[in-house]
Amino acid sequence: MTTEKESASKPLDFIRQIITEDLASGKHQTIVTRFPPEPNGFLHIGHAKSICLNFGVAVENNATCHLRFDDTNPDKESTEYVESIKRDVRWLGFDWGPHLYYASDYFDQLHDFAIELIKIGKAYVCHLSGEETRAYRGTLTEPGKESPYRHRTVEENLALFVQMRNGDFEEGTCVLRAKIDMASPNIVLRDPVLYRILKSSHHRTGDKWCIYPMYDFTHCLSDMLEGITHSLCTLEFENNRALYDWVLDTLHTPNHPRQIEFARLNINYTVTSKRKLLQLVTEGHVSGWDDPRMLTISGLRRRGYTPAAIRSFCSTIGIGKRESWIDMGVLENAVRDDLNQAARRVFGVLDPLKIVITNYPEGQTEEVIAQNHPQNPAMGERLVPFSREVYIEQSDFMENAPKKFFRLSVGREVRLRYAYLITCQEVIKDDQGKVVELRCTYDPASQGGSAPDGRKVKGTIHWVSAPHVLRAEVRLYDRLFTAEYPDADKEKSFKDFLNPDSLTALADCMLEPGLAQAHSDDRFQFERLGYFCLDPVASTPEKPVFNRIVTLRDSWAKLNESHE
Ligand code: ATP
Ligand code: MG
């Protein structure tokens, strides 16, 4: 496959520059990258940035990218998450080939490395409680204090580590720590924990282990064991790089991957943290990880986003070294651009108002020719049934319409796209005065929608033939949060900013009959309304459900403009 590689005019980002230089100088003959998710939740749009970077540079350099599960925390991980992550990476268009790995596959080797560190006097078993450890650690301005257990003999440490491993100690009673420097200005280096006791079953190793290695110890060694050349991670690991390098240097490993940090993706009006997304799921604020309002990969997929749109978005935002916020509109524009090219145009009426064309023969049906993509004739035409009764949008009729209202009102003429010109003659209301039906006449000579005498008819509206409709539920989405930075308020929870109107389900919409054949991979533009797709989860054979992927224009930008 091709990735949405930077266009020729766009300079390489700093990571691609480093890689290009490393290949040019001969430092590396080829490169190896990895995407290392922890299987403790579903992937989100932030992960897509990392996936597109790691797999992207591999594809561009004809090299390999590994998928490695960083599964060192059995309490929070599961096979369900592993499977969802594999599905999502594949769906985004990337392939790890035979290079699927698990940190848990290295548990034996990691254990051996820990013993080696103990043997060279660089690791010790410490019995300080969690609270004491924190107190001993010091602060940014004060050095830490050495643990009273720091100067145990190698033999003592080896024996205690065997006991830890054998399950002789309870959880939380001791840990294995690296012996580095309690006075280091970098707190990460103040004798970090390497192993802790967890008497939990692991989704892959079962009950084999009751001690588990910490992230910082596991990650660098896993990278090293796999021959990773460039270990790309987000900026919050900048301080951890010193520890990454310390472990590999101290163990004199045969190769030493280079860790490079880049800015994580932050998008406004959402949260991108698995922990927070998990809360939304478990507390029922959304219907699941794949709720179409969630910026998880599975939510975006169900909503109708295309892999190409997400890759294009990641390419647009680029890779930098400074934290920044990306406007949600940038993501929405990426899918809009993609679908504008690719999506077939169809008719759907979301808020139906019935029209009876009184001078059209009763019982007659004809088929009008409609373009599938007016700007792209190659996408062909389709036949749409037309009859005496059609539905239009409520909003396309106005009783006391101002002059500039170019749609339907009593005495005014409008074009039913691809069909005929109609003129509204009469309004029918119910007991409450609500408009429930319009009586119109049509001009039989205006077939296709053009006036025979060249008279000007400004308004063109969409419609569906009443006896032929496909009835469907249509779901419209708004942003999940009302606040631009939902987790910025320290006094409040991000959940206080959930948008109560983020989902509008329209139960009885009228769609053109051809949509009965819609497949879950198809995306459509409902003319004038936005881009839509079949919801593969909520649809039933009796009642299809369509999601609005995105509106036609950035309604938020328009809103902001009108405030200016
Ligand atoms: P979260 O904060 O959502 O829990 P995480 O960093 O704990 O994410 P991991 O499974 O450890 O999730 O992430 C796998 C990879 O994805 C890491 O290399 C991480 O740096 C990267 N990643 C996670 N979130 C983002 C983001 N918002 N932008 C870019 N990369 C990200
Ligand atoms: Mg993480």
Side-chain angles (χ1 to χ4, degrees):
M1 61 158 287
T2 52
T3 60
E4 283 61 19
K5 207 175 161 178
E6 336 290 277
S7 67
S9 57
K10 201 171 156 187
L12 291 182
D13 60 63
F14 79 101
I15 290 181
R16 286 179 165 86
Q17 260 176 40
I18 292 174
I19 288 174
T20 307
E21 283 161 19
D22 285 351
L23 288 168
S25 72
K27 180 176 177 190
H28 296 294
Q29 303 307 310
T30 183
I31 60 151
V32 186
T33 55
R34 87 287 169 268
F35 173 64
E38 181 181 356
N40 61 350
F42 280 54
L43 297 181
H44 53 64
I45 186 71
H47 294 109
K49 176 177 179 174
S50 178
I51 293 168
C52 288
L53 174 64
N54 279 293
F55 281 94
V57 294
V59 170
E60 289 152 29
N61 291 288
N62 221 344
T64 35
C65 177
H66 298 181
L67 175 62
R68 183 203 313 140
F69 288 100
D70 169 26
D71 54 352
T72 54
N73 198 356
D75 289 342
K76 296 195 169 148
E77 297 161 3
S78 77
T79 345
E80 184 208 351
Y81 294 141
V82 168
E83 292 311 315
S84 79
I85 290 170
K86 289 202 264 186
R87 186 166 64 238
D88 289 350
V89 174
R90 238 184 250 122
W91 179 76
L92 277 173
F94 297 105
D95 184 6
W96 52 88
H99 300 286
L100 175 64
Y101 303 106
Y102 295 84
S104 55
D105 286 346
Y106 309 135
F107 280 173
D108 281 303
Q109 282 152 292
L110 295 171
H111 180 250
D112 290 347
F113 281 124
I115 289 175
E116 201 176 325
L117 281 182
I118 294 173
K119 284 185 176 162
I120 57 174
K122 294 293 185 186
Y124 62 98
V125 174
C126 179
H127 294 272
L128 289 180
S129 67
E131 210 173 299
E132 288 167 326
T133 308
R134 269 188 296 282
Y136 274 67
R137 192 175 291 132
T139 63
L140 281 174
T141 49
E142 279 169 58
K145 224 167 58 177
E146 292 191 353
S147 157
Y149 306 100
R150 198 173 199 260
H151 296 290
R152 288 183 146 143
T153 63
V154 169
E155 288 65 36
E156 209 179 338
N157 281 315
L158 284 173
L160 287 166
F161 194 50
V162 169
Q163 283 188 282
M164 269 177 75
R165 199 224 144 131
N166 288 346
D168 296 346
F169 299 127
E170 291 311 309
E171 277 186 23
T173 53
C174 58
V175 291
L176 182 74
R177 295 176 72 175
K179 192 192 277 190
I180 309 180
D181 180 6
M182 288 308 292
S184 171
N186 183 351
I187 295 182
V188 173
L189 293 181
R190 294 183 188 170
D191 291 8
V193 175
L194 304 179
Y195 265 90
R196 72 244 196 254
I197 300 169
L198 276 180
K199 298 198 168 167
S200 309
S201 260
H202 186 280
H203 66 107
R204 299 192 80 242
T205 58
D207 293 323
K208 179 174 175 191
W209 298 91
C210 62
I211 53 170
Y212 289 93
M214 301 298 288
Y215 171 85
D216 282 316
F217 185 63
T218 309
H219 198 72
C220 53
L221 289 168
S222 305
D223 280 351
M224 186 277 296
L225 289 168
E226 290 175 19
I228 302 297
T229 54
H230 299 82
S231 179
L232 314 177
C233 64
T234 35
L235 278 175
E236 65 269 24
F237 293 103
E238 200 166 12
N239 288 335
N240 302 56
R241 191 190 337 126
L243 177 54
Y244 186 105
D245 290 336
W246 181 90
V247 172
L248 298 181
D249 286 341
T250 307
L251 287 166
H252 298 293
T253 55
N255 57 309
H256 189 140
R258 173 169 176 194
Q259 175 178 313
I260 308 171
E261 308 87 25
F262 62 95
R264 63 186 289 116
L265 169 62
N266 301 303
I267 301 187
N268 61 7
Y269 296 102
T270 192
V271 293
T272 44
S273 148
K274 276 185 287 190
R275 194 175 51 79
K276 289 178 183 157
L277 295 172
L278 178 65
Q279 279 181 56
L280 295 178
V281 174
T282 52
E283 294 171 18
H285 300 292
V286 294
S287 64
W289 283 101
D290 66 350
D291 187 299
R293 293 166 295 179
M294 297 260 277
L295 292 199
T296 50
I297 305 297
S298 51
L300 290 165
R301 173 170 58 230
R302 180 170 163 195
R303 173 86 166 253
Y305 270 68
T306 57
I310 296 175
R311 293 195 305 263
S312 153
F313 166 74
C314 290
S315 165
T316 304
I317 57 172
I319 299 293
K321 249 202 169 314
R322 236 175 328 128
E323 287 295 347
S324 65
W325 284 84
I326 302 293
D327 196 280
M328 179 81 94
V330 179
L331 178 63
E332 292 169 346
N333 264 332
V335 73
R336 218 174 258 130
D337 284 351
D338 186 40
L339 296 181
N340 183 32
Q341 311 278 329
R344 246 166 59 202
R345 275 53 174 165
V346 293
F347 289 159
V349 175
L350 304 190
D351 187 13
L353 172 60
K354 191 169 172 183
I355 288 186
V356 178
I357 301 165
T358 51
N359 60 338
Y360 193 90
E362 255 175 89
Q364 180 174 310
T365 298
E366 66 184 293
E367 290 187 306
V368 304
I369 300 170
Q371 304 290 319
N372 289 333
H373 195 309
Q375 286 80 48
N376 181 7
M379 284 176 71
E381 300 169 340
R382 67 190 186 284
L383 295 174
V384 183
F386 181 83
S387 67
R388 191 171 193 263
E389 296 188 359
V390 300
Y391 289 110
I392 65 164
E393 298 289 348
Q394 288 274 359
S395 59
D396 282 334
F397 171 79
M398 209 172 171
E399 215 174 357
N400 302 303
K403 223 165 158 242
K404 291 238 154 159
F405 185 79
F406 296 118
R407 289 163 281 162
L408 219 46
S409 192
V410 175
R412 293 194 193 178
E413 191 172 37
V414 79
R415 176 179 302 102
L416 294 180
R417 187 151 160 92
Y418 301 125
Y420 291 100
L421 300 175
I422 58 165
T423 304
C424 180
Q425 309 292 354
E426 192 190 342
V427 182
I428 316 267
K429 296 182 180 174
D430 66 9
D431 299 342
Q432 278 84 48
K434 184 177 184 273
V435 177
V436 290
E437 190 181 307
L438 303 177
R439 297 285 160 91
C440 298
T441 50
Y442 85 120
D443 177 353
S446 64
Q447 204 166 30
S450 50
D453 54 3
R455 69 179 181 275
K456 261 214 140 57
V457 178
K458 259 201 154 160
T460 300
I461 62 177
H462 62 276
W463 53 273
V464 287
S465 166
H468 301 98
V469 293
L470 171 71
R471 300 178 101 100
E473 178 179 326
V474 173
R475 296 178 180 175
L476 308 180
Y477 301 102
D478 199 348
R479 292 165 184 190
L480 190 49
F481 294 94
T482 52
E484 185 161 8
Y485 307 110
D487 41 18
D489 192 331
K490 296 288 168 262
E491 310 285 294
K492 289 184 169 171
S493 154
F494 67 102
K495 289 176 284 184
D496 294 333
F497 301 102
L498 279 163
N499 177 5
D501 302 318
S502 57
L503 167 64
T504 307
L506 304 170
D508 208 10
C509 301
M510 308 293 178
L511 312 183
E512 71 171 69
L515 283 166
Q517 270 78 53
H519 184 266
S520 60
D521 286 340
D522 295 333
R523 279 103 178 160
F524 303 94
Q525 184 191 96
F526 288 9
E527 292 209 21
R528 302 170 66 217
L529 299 172
Y531 295 98
F532 295 78
C533 72
L534 201 61
D535 186 309
V537 179
S539 291
T540 61
E542 295 74 41
K543 185 94 181 216
V545 176
F546 283 81
N547 290 323
R548 178 152 72 188
I549 307 166
V550 70
T551 53
L552 286 184
R553 269 175 300 276
D554 186 349
S555 47
W556 285 61
K558 227 170 56 191
L559 233 152
N560 293 340
E561 270 167 35
S562 67
H563 285 307
E564 276 167 11

